[in-house]
Amino acid sequence: MLIDTFGRVATDLRVSLTDRCNLRCTYCMPEEGLQWLAKPDLLTDDEIVRLIRIAVTHLGITEVRFTGGEPLLRPGLVGIVERVAALEPRPQMSLTTNGIGLKRTARALKEAGLDRVNVSLDTLRPDVFKTLTRRDRHKDVIEGLEAAHDAGLTPVKINSVLMPGLNEDEAPELLAWAVEHSYELRFIEQMPLDAQHGWKRDGMITAGDILTSLRTRFELTPEGSDERGSAPAERWVVDGGPHRVGVIASVTRPFCSACDRTRLTADGQVRTCLFATEETDLRAALRADGAESDDEGIADIWKRAMWGKKAGSGLDDPTFLQPDRPMSAIGG
């Protein structure tokens, strides 16, 4: 069991499969990109599957989310999903993606055992998409969403970040479109995870701003804390149901006390929090000789890392220090 000193138990594993991405979103990385990890530093497919197996069979993990960078850029993705689906007990599996490669991979991922997808889409306007991502790929994301829905990777969830001066007025439009297509929309407050450290609390679009905007067009009824559990999103029933909309307010309404996540970076580091400034190396243990390289030894290292998890993210601290690595390297 992955338990910390505050009694929280991690059952949800986020696995970053690559630090690379085919977009250059303004809130994530600079236009010129980043210095990517060298291939020898990345976990191999076998190492990823082994760590997930240890997490599932030794540490009580019941859910696995594949992230990146952009996880669809990982050549062995379908094989990894298939091997994880064969584990006993079988974890629930999802994937967070920008959607660009879903049109060609959705069916294969479903057949391999993937349960559902989260797709990042911040705007319905192709010109705004190009400004936000520095790439002209809006049509590919829309087609990827359709392919995921048709393949049965449901519920298809959409993650949207609203940025001042770009798409801050689009909340009602995005929700109407999501309802029409039976997607579940979740707005995410912009978080301080950009490589250029350009995030500022002042001026960010808050959960309160988003809800105020949505209520100009929709009736929103709170779903309630019992329904939420440890999920990061607060959810509201839209116009009496059955559709729902969520808001992940990591900055203004932190949910750290209910966190059930542990994170594995693409180069084999355990992170206890998305905003952590410290990591614990599992890759070295995987590749070492001796007792620490067996399953029990690796599990013990992981347990010790999670035992030291802090009470909160630190975002409410005015002296908050951003992680040294951008979101593309950590895994959202």
Side-chain angles (χ1 to χ4, degrees), residues 92-120:
Q92 288 290 305
M93 284 186 294
S94 58
L95 179 140
T96 295
T97 172
N98 62 31
I100 288 176
L102 268 180
K103 183 178 180 180
R104 59 179 173 78
T105 57
R107 184 66 59 184
L109 287 168
K110 179 64 177 179
E111 291 174 354
L114 191 70
D115 295 300
R116 63 172 189 82
V117 294
N118 287 23
V119 179
S120 299

Side-chain angles (χ1 to χ4, degrees), residues 120-194:
S120 299
L121 179 65
D122 303 322
T123 177
L124 297 177
R125 306 167 188 170
D127 59 327
V128 176
F129 182 92
K130 187 174 181 180
T131 299
L132 277 167
T133 68
R134 304 184 178 104
R135 298 290 186 272
D136 189 11
R137 305 297 297 272
H138 188 264
K139 179 174 180 287
D140 296 311
V141 179
I142 299 299
E143 291 178 346
L145 281 162
E146 294 170 352
H149 186 272
D150 292 346
L153 292 170
T154 54
V156 175
K157 296 183 179 181
I158 296 176
N159 295 337
S160 296
V161 176
L162 299 183
M163 300 286 288
L166 287 172
N167 62 339
E168 61 186 307
D169 62 333
E170 281 199 67
E173 184 181 358
L174 279 162
L175 181 53
W177 179 80
V179 166
E180 178 186 354
H181 291 85
S182 296
Y183 303 141
E184 184 175 324
L185 179 62
R186 307 189 311 172
F187 292 99
I188 303 176
E189 287 183 337
Q190 184 195 2
M191 295 179 285
L193 290 168
D194 56 308

Side-chain angles (χ1 to χ4, degrees), residues 22-43:
N22 41 13
L23 296 180
R24 296 292 181 271
C25 297
T26 56
Y27 51 77
C28 184
M29 70 171 72
E31 184 172 5
E32 65 273 15
L34 299 167
Q35 182 67 45
W36 307 125
L37 292 168
K39 188 172 181 180
D41 293 335
L42 292 169
L43 294 177

